[in-house]
Amino acid sequence: MTFVVAAAGALLALADADSPLRGPFTLFFLLAAPGAAIGAALRGLDPFGRAVASIAGAVALNLLVAQGMLATHSWSVRGGIAAVAAISSLVLLLVPVRRLRGRAERRRRTS
């Protein structure tokens, strides 16, 4: 259900739809997408610590994207949504790669 709300927020912002749900759903996307990616990367922490770190990381990522876009004079809502989605996807896709690499190193050590 949360994925649907986050995806709807991104789509409403990218389509520039005139809906009263655009703001809250987009804000949810901007917090949930990087938060979920960072939370998946921090598998070893306890649940409360992971939640706090992922929310703080999501806010920091959004601030860094906004600051970078403002510094380069390329601010746009669509660009910000796309940048946050791209960075979150990259972090989320690197999690299984890191886990596979860790398994391969453990196999080499035991051999």
Side-chain angles (χ1 to χ4, degrees):
M1 181 68 178
T2 58
F3 175 77
V4 174
V5 174
L11 291 175
L12 286 172
L14 290 174
D16 201 23
D18 192 22
S19 170
L21 296 176
R22 177 183 171 193
F25 282 9
T26 303
L27 180 63
F28 183 76
F29 169 78
L30 288 173
L31 291 175
I38 293 169
L42 298 175
R43 185 177 64 161
L45 291 178
D46 63 304
F48 180 72
R50 186 187 315 179
V52 170
S54 63
I55 291 170
V59 171
L61 177 70
N62 287 321
L63 289 174
L64 287 172
V65 166
Q67 184 178 5
M69 292 180 76
L70 288 173
T72 60
H73 303 288
S74 61
W75 171 254
S76 73
V77 174
R78 290 181 181 157
I81 296 289
V84 168
I87 294 170
S88 299
S89 298
L90 182 65
V91 170
L92 193 59
L93 290 174
L94 289 177
V95 170
V97 171
R98 188 182 76 180
R99 288 182 186 158
L100 288 174
R101 200 172 96 191
R103 287 181 191 162
E105 287 178 10
R106 278 181 270 166
R107 286 183 187 160
R108 276 188 253 142
R109 288 182 199 159
T110 59
S111 300

Coordinates of all heavy atoms in Angstrom, one line a residue:
M1 N 0.8 -1.2 0.0 CA 0.0 0.0 0.0 C 0.9 1.3 0.0 O 0.6 2.2 -0.7 CB -0.9 0.0 1.2 CG -1.8 1.1 1.3 SD -3.0 1.0 0.0 CE -4.0 2.4 0.4
T2 N 1.9 1.2 0.8 CA 2.8 2.4 0.8 C 3.5 2.7 -0.5 O 3.7 3.8 -0.9 CB 3.9 2.3 1.9 OG1 4.6 1.1 1.7 CG2 3.2 2.2 3.3
F3 N 3.8 1.6 -1.2 CA 4.4 1.7 -2.5 C 3.5 2.4 -3.5 O 3.9 3.3 -4.3 CB 4.9 0.4 -3.1 CG 5.4 0.5 -4.5 CD1 6.7 0.9 -4.7 CD2 4.6 0.1 -5.5 CE1 7.2 1.0 -6.0 CE2 5.1 0.2 -6.8 CZ 6.4 0.6 -7.1
V4 N 2.2 2.1 -3.4 CA 1.2 2.7 -4.3 C 1.1 4.2 -4.0 O 1.0 5.0 -4.9 CB -0.1 2.0 -4.1 CG1 -1.2 2.6 -4.9 CG2 0.0 0.5 -4.5
V5 N 1.1 4.6 -2.8 CA 0.9 6.0 -2.4 C 2.2 6.7 -2.9 O 2.1 7.8 -3.4 CB 0.7 6.1 -0.9 CG1 0.7 7.6 -0.5 CG2 -0.6 5.5 -0.5
A6 N 3.4 6.2 -2.6 CA 4.6 6.8 -3.1 C 4.7 6.9 -4.6 O 5.0 8.0 -5.1 CB 5.8 6.1 -2.5
A7 N 4.3 5.9 -5.3 CA 4.3 5.9 -6.7 C 3.3 6.9 -7.3 O 3.5 7.7 -8.2 CB 4.0 4.6 -7.3
A8 N 2.1 7.0 -6.6 CA 1.1 8.0 -7.0 C 1.6 9.4 -6.8 O 1.4 10.3 -7.6 CB -0.2 7.8 -6.3
G9 N 2.3 9.6 -5.7 CA 2.9 11.0 -5.5 C 3.9 11.4 -6.5 O 3.9 12.5 -7.0
A10 N 4.8 10.4 -6.9 CA 5.8 10.7 -7.9 C 5.1 11.0 -9.3 O 5.4 11.9 -10.0 CB 6.8 9.6 -8.1
L11 N 4.1 10.2 -9.6 CA 3.4 10.3 -10.9 C 2.6 11.6 -10.9 O 2.6 12.3 -12.0 CB 2.5 9.1 -11.2 CG 3.2 7.8 -11.5 CD1 2.2 6.7 -11.6 CD2 4.1 8.0 -12.7
L12 N 2.0 12.0 -9.8 CA 1.2 13.2 -9.8 C 2.1 14.4 -9.9 O 1.8 15.4 -10.6 CB 0.4 13.4 -8.5 CG -0.8 12.5 -8.4 CD1 -1.4 12.6 -6.9 CD2 -1.9 12.9 -9.4
A13 N 3.3 14.4 -9.3 CA 4.3 15.5 -9.4 C 4.9 15.6 -10.8 O 5.0 16.6 -11.4 CB 5.4 15.3 -8.4
L14 N 5.2 14.4 -11.4 CA 5.8 14.4 -12.7 C 4.8 14.8 -13.8 O 5.2 15.4 -14.8 CB 6.4 13.0 -13.0 CG 7.7 12.6 -12.2 CD1 8.1 11.2 -12.5 CD2 8.8 13.6 -12.5
A15 N 3.6 14.4 -13.6 CA 2.5 14.8 -14.6 C 2.0 16.2 -14.4 O 1.2 16.7 -15.2 CB 1.4 13.8 -14.5
D16 N 2.4 16.9 -13.3 CA 1.9 18.2 -13.0 C 0.4 18.2 -12.9 O -0.3 19.1 -13.4 CB 2.4 19.2 -14.0 CG 2.4 20.6 -13.5 OD1 2.4 20.8 -12.2 OD2 2.4 21.6 -14.3
A17 N -0.1 17.2 -12.3 CA -1.6 17.1 -12.1 C -2.1 18.1 -11.1 O -1.4 18.4 -10.1 CB -1.9 15.7 -11.7
D18 N -3.3 18.6 -11.3 CA -3.9 19.5 -10.4 C -4.8 18.7 -9.5 O -6.0 18.6 -9.7 CB -4.7 20.6 -11.2 CG -5.1 21.7 -10.3 OD1 -4.5 21.9 -9.3 OD2 -6.0 22.4 -10.7
S19 N -4.3 18.2 -8.4 CA -5.0 17.4 -7.5 C -4.7 17.8 -6.1 O -3.5 18.2 -5.8 CB -4.6 15.9 -7.7 OG -5.2 15.1 -6.6
P20 N -5.7 17.7 -5.2 CA -5.3 18.1 -3.8 C -4.4 17.1 -3.1 O -3.8 17.4 -2.1 CB -6.7 18.1 -3.1 CG -7.6 17.4 -4.0 CD -7.1 17.5 -5.4
L21 N -4.3 15.9 -3.7 CA -3.5 14.8 -3.1 C -2.0 14.9 -3.6 O -1.2 14.2 -3.1 CB -4.0 13.5 -3.4 CG -5.4 13.1 -2.8 CD1 -5.9 11.8 -3.3 CD2 -5.3 13.2 -1.3
R22 N -1.8 15.8 -4.5 CA -0.4 15.9 -5.1 C 0.6 16.2 -4.0 O 1.7 15.6 -4.0 CB -0.4 16.9 -6.2 CG 0.9 17.1 -6.8 CD 0.9 18.2 -7.8 NE 2.3 18.6 -8.2 CZ 2.5 19.6 -8.9 NH1 1.6 20.4 -9.3 NH2 3.8 19.9 -9.3
G23 N 0.4 17.2 -3.2 CA 1.4 17.7 -2.2 C 1.7 16.6 -1.2 O 2.8 16.2 -1.0
P24 N 0.6 16.1 -0.5 CA 0.9 15.0 0.5 C 1.5 13.8 0.0 O 2.5 13.2 0.5 CB -0.4 14.7 1.2 CG -1.3 15.8 0.8 CD -0.7 16.5 -0.5
F25 N 1.1 13.3 -1.2 CA 1.6 12.1 -1.8 C 3.0 12.3 -2.3 O 3.9 11.4 -2.1 CB 0.7 11.6 -2.9 CG -0.5 10.9 -2.5 CD1 -0.9 10.9 -1.2 CD2 -1.3 10.3 -3.4 CE1 -2.1 10.2 -0.8 CE2 -2.5 9.6 -3.1 CZ -2.9 9.6 -1.7
T26 N 3.3 13.5 -2.8 CA 4.7 13.7 -3.3 C 5.6 13.8 -2.1 O 6.8 13.3 -2.1 CB 4.7 15.0 -4.1 OG1 3.8 14.9 -5.2 CG2 6.1 15.3 -4.6
L27 N 5.2 14.5 -1.0 CA 6.0 14.5 0.2 C 6.3 13.1 0.7 O 7.4 12.8 1.2 CB 5.4 15.4 1.3 CG 6.1 15.5 2.6 CD1 7.5 16.2 2.4 CD2 5.3 16.3 3.6
F28 N 5.2 12.3 0.7 CA 5.4 10.9 1.2 C 6.4 10.2 0.3 O 7.3 9.4 0.8 CB 4.1 10.2 1.1 CG 4.1 8.8 1.7 CD1 4.2 8.5 3.0 CD2 4.2 7.7 0.8 CE1 4.3 7.2 3.5 CE2 4.3 6.4 1.3 CZ 4.3 6.2 2.6
F29 N 6.4 10.4 -1.0 CA 7.4 9.8 -1.9 C 8.8 10.3 -1.6 O 9.7 9.5 -1.5 CB 7.1 10.1 -3.4 CG 8.2 9.7 -4.3 CD1 8.4 8.4 -4.6 CD2 9.1 10.6 -4.8 CE1 9.4 8.0 -5.5 CE2 10.1 10.3 -5.6 CZ 10.3 9.0 -6.0
L30 N 8.9 11.6 -1.3 CA 10.2 12.1 -1.1 C 10.8 11.6 0.2 O 12.1 11.6 0.4 CB 10.2 13.6 -1.1 CG 10.0 14.3 -2.4 CD1 9.8 15.8 -2.3 CD2 11.2 14.0 -3.4
L31 N 10.0 11.2 1.2 CA 10.5 10.6 2.4 C 10.6 9.1 2.3 O 11.5 8.5 2.9 CB 9.7 11.0 3.6 CG 9.8 12.5 4.0 CD1 8.8 12.8 5.1 CD2 11.2 12.9 4.4
A32 N 9.7 8.4 1.7 CA 9.6 7.0 1.7 C 10.6 6.3 0.7 O 11.2 5.3 1.1 CB 8.2 6.5 1.3
A33 N 10.8 6.9 -0.4 CA 11.7 6.2 -1.4 C 13.2 6.2 -0.9 O 13.7 5.1 -0.8 CB 11.7 7.0 -2.7
P34 N 13.8 7.3 -0.5 CA 15.1 7.2 0.1 C 15.2 6.5 1.4 O 16.1 5.8 1.8 CB 15.6 8.6 0.2 CG 14.5 9.5 -0.1 CD 13.4 8.7 -0.6
G35 N 14.1 6.7 2.2 CA 14.1 6.0 3.5 C 14.0 4.5 3.4 O 14.7 3.8 4.1
A36 N 13.3 4.0 2.4 CA 13.2 2.5 2.2 C 14.6 2.0 1.7 O 15.0 0.9 2.1 CB 12.1 2.2 1.3
A37 N 15.2 2.8 0.8 CA 16.5 2.3 0.3 C 17.6 2.3 1.4 O 18.3 1.4 1.5 CB 16.9 3.2 -0.9
I38 N 17.6 3.3 2.2 CA 18.6 3.4 3.2 C 18.3 2.4 4.3 O 19.2 1.7 4.8 CB 18.7 4.8 3.8 CG1 19.2 5.8 2.8 CG2 19.5 4.9 5.1 CD1 19.1 7.3 3.1
G39 N 17.0 2.2 4.6 CA 16.6 1.1 5.6 C 17.0 -0.3 5.1 O 17.4 -1.1 5.9
A40 N 16.9 -0.5 3.8 CA 17.3 -1.8 3.3 C 18.8 -2.0 3.4 O 19.3 -3.1 3.6 CB 16.9 -2.0 1.8
A41 N 19.6 -0.9 3.2 CA 21.0 -1.0 3.3 C 21.5 -1.2 4.8 O 22.6 -1.7 5.0 CB 21.7 0.3 2.7
L42 N 20.7 -0.8 5.7 CA 21.1 -0.9 7.1 C 20.5 -2.1 7.8 O 19.9 -1.9 8.9 CB 20.7 0.4 7.9 CG 21.4 1.7 7.4 CD1 20.8 2.9 8.1 CD2 22.9 1.6 7.5
R43 N 20.6 -3.2 7.2 CA 20.0 -4.4 7.7 C 20.4 -4.8 9.1 O 19.7 -5.4 9.9 CB 20.2 -5.5 6.7 CG 19.5 -6.8 7.0 CD 19.7 -7.8 6.0 NE 21.1 -8.2 6.0 CZ 21.6 -9.3 5.4 NH1 20.8 -10.1 4.9 NH2 22.9 -9.6 5.5
G44 N 21.6 -4.5 9.5 CA 22.2 -5.0 10.7 C 21.7 -4.2 12.0 O 21.9 -4.7 13.1
L45 N 21.1 -3.1 11.8 CA 20.6 -2.3 13.0 C 19.3 -2.8 13.6 O 18.6 -3.5 12.9 CB 20.4 -0.8 12.6 CG 21.7 0.0 12.2 CD1 21.3 1.4 11.8 CD2 22.6 0.1 13.4
D46 N 19.1 -2.5 14.8 CA 17.8 -2.8 15.4 C 16.7 -2.0 14.7 O 17.0 -0.9 14.1 CB 17.8 -2.6 16.9 CG 18.0 -1.1 17.3 OD1 19.0 -0.6 16.9 OD2 17.2 -0.6 18.0
P47 N 15.4 -2.4 14.8 CA 14.4 -1.7 14.0 C 14.3 -0.2 14.3 O 14.1 0.6 13.4 CB 13.1 -2.4 14.4 CG 13.6 -3.8 14.8 CD 14.9 -3.6 15.4
F48 N 14.4 0.2 15.6 CA 14.2 1.6 15.9 C 15.4 2.4 15.4 O 15.2 3.5 14.8 CB 14.1 1.8 17.5 CG 14.0 3.3 17.9 CD1 12.8 3.9 17.6 CD2 15.0 3.9 18.4 CE1 12.7 5.3 18.0 CE2 14.9 5.3 18.8 CZ 13.7 5.9 18.6
G49 N 16.6 1.9 15.5 CA 17.8 2.6 15.0 C 17.7 2.7 13.5 O 18.1 3.7 12.9
R50 N 17.3 1.7 12.8 CA 17.1 1.7 11.4 C 16.1 2.7 10.9 O 16.3 3.4 9.9 CB 16.7 0.3 10.9 CG 16.7 0.2 9.4 CD 16.2 -1.0 8.8 NE 16.7 -2.2 9.5 CZ 16.3 -3.5 9.1 NH1 15.5 -3.7 8.2 NH2 16.8 -4.5 9.8
A51 N 15.0 2.8 11.6 CA 14.0 3.8 11.3 C 14.5 5.2 11.4 O 14.3 6.1 10.5 CB 12.7 3.6 12.1
V52 N 15.1 5.5 12.5 CA 15.7 6.8 12.8 C 16.7 7.2 11.7 O 16.7 8.3 11.1 CB 16.3 6.9 14.2 CG1 17.0 8.2 14.4 CG2 15.1 6.8 15.2
A53 N 17.6 6.2 11.4 CA 18.7 6.5 10.5 C 18.1 6.6 9.1 O 18.6 7.5 8.3 CB 19.7 5.3 10.5
S54 N 17.1 5.9 8.7 CA 16.6 6.0 7.4 C 15.8 7.2 7.2 O 15.9 7.9 6.1 CB 15.7 4.7 7.0 OG 14.6 4.7 7.9
I55 N 15.1 7.7 8.2 CA 14.4 9.0 8.1 C 15.4 10.1 8.0 O 15.2 11.0 7.1 CB 13.4 9.2 9.2 CG1 12.2 8.2 9.1 CG2 12.8 10.6 9.3 CD1 11.4 8.1 10.3
A56 N 16.4 10.1 8.8 CA 17.4 11.1 8.8 C 18.1 11.1 7.4 O 18.4 12.2 6.9 CB 18.4 11.0 9.9
G57 N 18.4 9.9 6.9 CA 19.1 9.8 5.6 C 18.2 10.3 4.5 O 18.7 11.0 3.6
A58 N 16.9 10.1 4.6 CA 16.0 10.5 3.6 C 15.9 12.1 3.5 O 16.0 12.7 2.5 CB 14.6 10.0 3.8
V59 N 15.9 12.7 4.7 CA 15.8 14.1 4.8 C 17.2 14.7 4.3 O 17.2 15.7 3.5 CB 15.6 14.6 6.2 CG1 15.8 16.1 6.4 CG2 14.2 14.2 6.7
A60 N 18.3 14.1 4.7 CA 19.6 14.6 4.2 C 19.7 14.4 2.7 O 20.2 15.3 2.0 CB 20.7 13.8 4.9
L61 N 19.2 13.3 2.1 CA 19.3 13.1 0.7 C 18.5 14.2 -0.1 O 18.9 14.8 -1.1 CB 18.8 11.7 0.3 CG 18.8 11.5 -1.2 CD1 20.2 11.4 -1.8 CD2 18.1 10.2 -1.5
N62 N 17.3 14.5 0.4 CA 16.4 15.5 -0.2 C 17.1 16.9 -0.1 O 17.0 17.6 -1.1 CB 15.0 15.5 0.5 CG 14.2 14.3 0.1 OD1 14.2 13.9 -1.0 ND2 13.5 13.8 1.1
L63 N 17.7 17.2 1.0 CA 18.4 18.5 1.2 C 19.6 18.6 0.2 O 19.8 19.6 -0.4 CB 18.8 18.7 2.6 CG 17.7 19.0 3.6 CD1 18.2 19.0 5.0 CD2 17.0 20.2 3.3
L64 N 20.3 17.5 0.1 CA 21.5 17.5 -0.8 C 21.1 17.7 -2.3 O 21.7 18.4 -3.0 CB 22.3 16.2 -0.6 CG 23.1 16.2 0.7 CD1 23.8 14.8 0.8 CD2 24.2 17.3 0.6
V65 N 20.0 17.0 -2.7 CA 19.5 17.1 -4.0 C 19.0 18.6 -4.3 O 19.4 19.2 -5.3 CB 18.4 16.1 -4.3 CG1 17.6 16.5 -5.6 CG2 18.9 14.7 -4.4
A66 N 18.3 19.1 -3.3 CA 17.8 20.5 -3.5 C 18.9 21.5 -3.5 O 19.0 22.4 -4.4 CB 16.8 20.8 -2.4
Q67 N 19.9 21.3 -2.7 CA 21.1 22.2 -2.6 C 21.9 22.1 -3.9 O 22.3 23.1 -4.5 CB 22.0 21.9 -1.4 CG 23.1 22.8 -1.3 CD 23.9 22.5 0.0 OE1 23.7 21.5 0.7 NE2 24.9 23.3 0.2
G68 N 22.1 20.9 -4.4 CA 22.8 20.7 -5.7 C 22.1 21.3 -6.8 O 22.7 21.9 -7.7
M69 N 20.8 21.2 -6.9 CA 20.0 21.8 -8.0 C 20.0 23.3 -7.9 O 20.1 24.0 -8.9 CB 18.6 21.2 -8.0 CG 18.6 19.7 -8.4 SD 16.9 19.1 -8.4 CE 16.3 19.8 -9.9
L70 N 19.9 23.8 -6.7 CA 19.9 25.3 -6.6 C 21.3 25.8 -6.9 O 21.4 26.9 -7.5 CB 19.5 25.7 -5.1 CG 18.0 25.5 -4.8 CD1 17.8 25.8 -3.3 CD2 17.2 26.4 -5.7
A71 N 22.4 25.1 -6.5 CA 23.7 25.6 -6.8 C 24.0 25.6 -8.3 O 24.8 26.5 -8.7 CB 24.8 24.7 -6.0
T72 N 23.5 24.7 -9.0 CA 23.7 24.6 -10.4 C 22.6 25.4 -11.2 O 22.6 25.3 -12.5 CB 23.8 23.2 -10.9 OG1 22.5 22.5 -10.6 CG2 24.9 22.4 -10.3
H73 N 21.7 26.1 -10.5 CA 20.7 26.9 -11.2 C 19.8 26.0 -12.1 O 19.4 26.4 -13.2 CB 21.2 28.1 -12.0 CG 22.0 29.0 -11.1 ND1 21.5 29.8 -10.2 CD2 23.4 29.2 -11.1 CE1 22.5 30.5 -9.6 NE2 23.6 30.1 -10.1
S74 N 19.5 24.8 -11.7 CA 18.7 23.9 -12.5 C 17.5 23.3 -11.7 O 17.1 22.2 -11.8 CB 19.6 22.7 -13.0 OG 20.1 22.0 -11.9
W75 N 17.0 24.2 -10.8 CA 15.9 23.7 -9.9 C 14.6 23.5 -10.7 O 14.2 24.3 -11.5 CB 15.6 24.7 -8.8 CG 14.4 24.4 -8.1 CD1 13.2 25.0 -8.1 CD2 14.2 23.3 -7.1 NE1 12.3 24.4 -7.3 CE2 12.9 23.3 -6.7 CE3 15.1 22.3 -6.7 CZ2 12.4 22.4 -5.8 CZ3 14.6 21.4 -5.8 CH2 13.3 21.5 -5.3
S76 N 14.0 22.3 -10.5 CA 12.7 22.1 -11.0 C 12.1 20.9 -10.2 O 12.8 20.1 -9.7 CB 12.7 21.7 -12.5 OG 13.3 20.4 -12.7
V77 N 10.8 20.9 -10.1 CA 10.1 19.9 -9.3 C 10.3 18.5 -10.0 O 10.7 17.6 -9.3 CB 8.6 20.2 -9.2 CG1 7.9 19.1 -8.5 CG2 8.4 21.5 -8.4
R78 N 10.1 18.5 -11.2 CA 10.3 17.2 -12.0 C 11.7 16.7 -11.8 O 12.0 15.5 -11.7 CB 9.9 17.4 -13.4 CG 8.5 17.6 -13.6 CD 8.1 17.7 -15.1 NE 6.7 17.9 -15.3 CZ 6.2 18.5 -16.3 NH1 6.9 18.9 -17.3 NH2 4.9 18.6 -16.4
G79 N 12.7 17.6 -12.0 CA 14.1 17.2 -11.8 C 14.4 16.7 -10.4 O 15.2 15.7 -10.3
G80 N 13.9 17.3 -9.4 CA 14.1 16.9 -8.0 C 13.5 15.5 -7.8 O 14.1 14.7 -7.2
I81 N 12.3 15.3 -8.3 CA 11.6 14.0 -8.1 C 12.5 12.9 -8.8 O 12.7 11.8 -8.3 CB 10.2 14.0 -8.6 CG1 9.3 15.0 -7.8 CG2 9.6 12.6 -8.7 CD1 9.0 14.5 -6.4
A82 N 12.9 13.2 -10.0 CA 13.7 12.3 -10.8 C 15.0 12.0 -10.2 O 15.5 10.8 -10.1 CB 13.9 12.8 -12.2
A83 N 15.7 13.0 -9.6 CA 17.0 12.8 -9.0 C 16.8 12.0 -7.7 O 17.6 11.1 -7.5 CB 17.6 14.2 -8.6
V84 N 15.8 12.2 -6.9 CA 15.6 11.5 -5.7 C 15.3 10.0 -6.0 O 15.8 9.1 -5.4 CB 14.5 12.1 -4.8 CG1 14.1 11.2 -3.7 CG2 15.0 13.4 -4.2
A85 N 14.4 9.8 -7.1 CA 14.1 8.5 -7.5 C 15.3 7.7 -8.0 O 15.5 6.5 -7.7 CB 13.0 8.5 -8.6
A86 N 16.2 8.4 -8.8 CA 17.3 7.8 -9.3 C 18.3 7.4 -8.2 O 18.9 6.3 -8.2 CB 18.0 8.7 -10.4
I87 N 18.6 8.3 -7.3 CA 19.5 8.0 -6.2 C 19.0 6.9 -5.3 O 19.7 6.0 -4.9 CB 19.9 9.3 -5.4 CG1 20.6 10.2 -6.3 CG2 20.7 8.9 -4.2 CD1 20.8 11.6 -5.7
S88 N 17.7 6.9 -5.0 CA 17.1 5.9 -4.2 C 17.1 4.5 -4.9 O 17.4 3.5 -4.2 CB 15.6 6.3 -3.9 OG 15.6 7.5 -3.1
S89 N 16.9 4.5 -6.2 CA 16.9 3.3 -6.9 C 18.3 2.7 -6.9 O 18.5 1.5 -6.8 CB 16.4 3.5 -8.3 OG 15.1 3.9 -8.3
L90 N 19.3 3.6 -7.1 CA 20.7 3.1 -7.1 C 21.1 2.5 -5.8 O 21.7 1.5 -5.7 CB 21.6 4.3 -7.5 CG 23.1 4.0 -7.6 CD1 23.4 3.1 -8.7 CD2 23.9 5.3 -7.7
V91 N 20.7 3.2 -4.7 CA 21.1 2.7 -3.4 C 20.4 1.3 -3.2 O 20.9 0.4 -2.6 CB 20.7 3.7 -2.3 CG1 20.8 3.1 -0.9 CG2 21.6 4.9 -2.3
L92 N 19.1 1.3 -3.6 CA 18.3 0.0 -3.4 C 18.9 -1.1 -4.2 O 18.9 -2.3 -3.8 CB 16.9 0.3 -3.7 CG 15.9 -0.8 -3.3 CD1 15.9 -1.0 -1.8 CD2 14.5 -0.4 -3.7
L93 N 19.4 -0.8 -5.4 CA 19.9 -1.9 -6.3 C 21.3 -2.3 -5.9 O 21.8 -3.4 -6.2 CB 20.0 -1.4 -7.7 CG 18.6 -1.2 -8.4 CD1 18.8 -0.6 -9.8 CD2 17.9 -2.6 -8.5
L94 N 22.0 -1.4 -5.1 CA 23.4 -1.8 -4.7 C 23.3 -2.7 -3.4 O 24.3 -3.3 -3.1 CB 24.2 -0.5 -4.4 CG 24.6 0.3 -5.6 CD1 25.4 1.5 -5.1 CD2 25.5 -0.6 -6.5
V95 N 22.2 -2.8 -2.7 CA 22.1 -3.6 -1.6 C 22.3 -5.1 -1.9 O 23.1 -5.8 -1.3 CB 20.8 -3.4 -0.8 CG1 20.5 -4.4 0.3 CG2 20.7 -2.0 -0.2
P96 N 21.6 -5.7 -2.9 CA 21.9 -7.1 -3.2 C 23.3 -7.3 -3.7 O 23.8 -8.4 -3.5 CB 20.8 -7.5 -4.3 CG 20.0 -6.3 -4.4 CD 20.5 -5.2 -3.7
V97 N 23.8 -6.4 -4.4 CA 25.2 -6.5 -4.9 C 26.2 -6.6 -3.8 O 27.1 -7.5 -3.8 CB 25.6 -5.3 -5.9 CG1 27.0 -5.4 -6.2 CG2 24.7 -5.4 -7.1
R98 N 26.0 -5.8 -2.8 CA 26.9 -5.8 -1.6 C 26.7 -7.2 -0.8 O 27.7 -7.7 -0.4 CB 26.5 -4.7 -0.7 CG 27.5 -4.6 0.5 CD 27.2 -3.4 1.4 NE 26.0 -3.9 2.2 CZ 25.4 -3.2 3.2 NH1 25.8 -1.9 3.3 NH2 24.5 -3.7 3.9
R99 N 25.5 -7.7 -0.8 CA 25.2 -8.9 -0.1 C 25.9 -10.1 -0.8 O 26.4 -11.0 -0.2 CB 23.7 -9.2 0.1 CG 23.1 -8.2 1.2 CD 21.7 -8.5 1.4 NE 21.1 -7.5 2.3 CZ 19.9 -7.2 2.3 NH1 19.0 -7.8 1.6 NH2 19.4 -6.3 3.1
L100 N 25.8 -10.1 -2.1 CA 26.4 -11.1 -2.9 C 27.9 -11.1 -2.8 O 28.5 -12.1 -2.7 CB 26.0 -11.0 -4.4 CG 24.5 -11.4 -4.7 CD1 24.2 -11.1 -6.2 CD2 24.3 -12.9 -4.4
R101 N 28.4 -9.9 -2.8 CA 29.9 -9.8 -2.6 C 30.4 -10.3 -1.3 O 31.4 -10.9 -1.1 CB 30.3 -8.3 -2.9 CG 31.8 -8.2 -3.2 CD 32.1 -6.8 -3.6 NE 32.6 -6.1 -2.4 CZ 32.8 -4.8 -2.3 NH1 32.5 -4.0 -3.3 NH2 33.3 -4.3 -1.2
G102 N 29.6 -10.0 -0.3 CA 29.9 -10.5 1.1 C 29.9 -12.0 1.2 O 30.7 -12.6 1.8
R103 N 28.9 -12.6 0.5 CA 28.8 -14.1 0.5 C 30.0 -14.7 -0.2 O 30.6 -15.7 0.2 CB 27.6 -14.5 -0.2 CG 26.3 -14.3 0.6 CD 25.1 -14.8 -0.1 NE 23.9 -14.4 0.5 CZ 22.7 -14.4 0.0 NH1 22.6 -14.8 -1.3 NH2 21.7 -14.0 0.6
A104 N 30.4 -14.0 -1.3 CA 31.6 -14.6 -2.1 C 32.9 -14.5 -1.3 O 33.7 -15.4 -1.3 CB 31.7 -13.8 -3.4
E105 N 33.0 -13.4 -0.5 CA 34.2 -13.2 0.3 C 34.2 -14.3 1.5 O 35.2 -14.8 1.8 CB 34.3 -11.8 0.9 CG 34.6 -10.8 -0.1 CD 34.6 -9.4 0.4 OE1 34.5 -9.2 1.7 OE2 34.8 -8.4 -0.3
R106 N 33.0 -14.5 2.0 CA 33.0 -15.5 3.1 C 33.3 -16.9 2.6 O 33.9 -17.7 3.2 CB 31.6 -15.5 3.8 CG 31.5 -14.4 4.8 CD 30.1 -14.5 5.4 NE 29.3 -13.6 4.6 CZ 28.0 -13.5 4.6 NH1 27.3 -14.3 5.4 NH2 27.4 -12.7 3.8
R107 N 32.9 -17.2 1.3 CA 33.2 -18.5 0.7 C 34.7 -18.7 0.5 O 35.2 -19.7 0.7 CB 32.4 -18.7 -0.6 CG 31.0 -19.0 -0.4 CD 30.3 -19.2 -1.7 NE 28.9 -19.3 -1.5 CZ 28.0 -19.1 -2.5 NH1 28.4 -18.8 -3.7 NH2 26.7 -19.2 -2.2
R108 N 35.3 -17.6 0.1 CA 36.8 -17.6 -0.2 C 37.5 -17.8 1.2 O 38.5 -18.5 1.2 CB 37.2 -16.3 -0.8 CG 37.1 -16.4 -2.3 CD 37.7 -15.2 -3.0 NE 36.6 -14.3 -3.4 CZ 36.6 -13.0 -3.3 NH1 37.6 -12.4 -2.9 NH2 35.6 -12.3 -3.7
R109 N 37.0 -17.2 2.2 CA 37.7 -17.4 3.5 C 37.6 -18.8 4.0 O 38.5 -19.3 4.7 CB 37.1 -16.4 4.5 CG 37.5 -15.0 4.3 CD 36.9 -14.1 5.4 NE 36.8 -12.8 4.9 CZ 36.0 -11.9 5.5 NH1 35.2 -12.2 6.4 NH2 36.0 -10.6 5.0
T110 N 36.5 -19.5 3.8 CA 36.3 -20.8 4.3 C 37.0 -21.9 3.5 O 37.2 -22.9 4.0 CB 34.8 -21.2 4.5 OG1 34.2 -21.0 3.2 CG2 34.1 -20.2 5.5
S111 N 37.2 -21.5 2.3 CA 37.9 -22.5 1.4 C 39.4 -22.7 1.6 O 40.1 -21.9 2.1 CB 37.7 -22.1 -0.1 OG 36.4 -22.0 -0.4

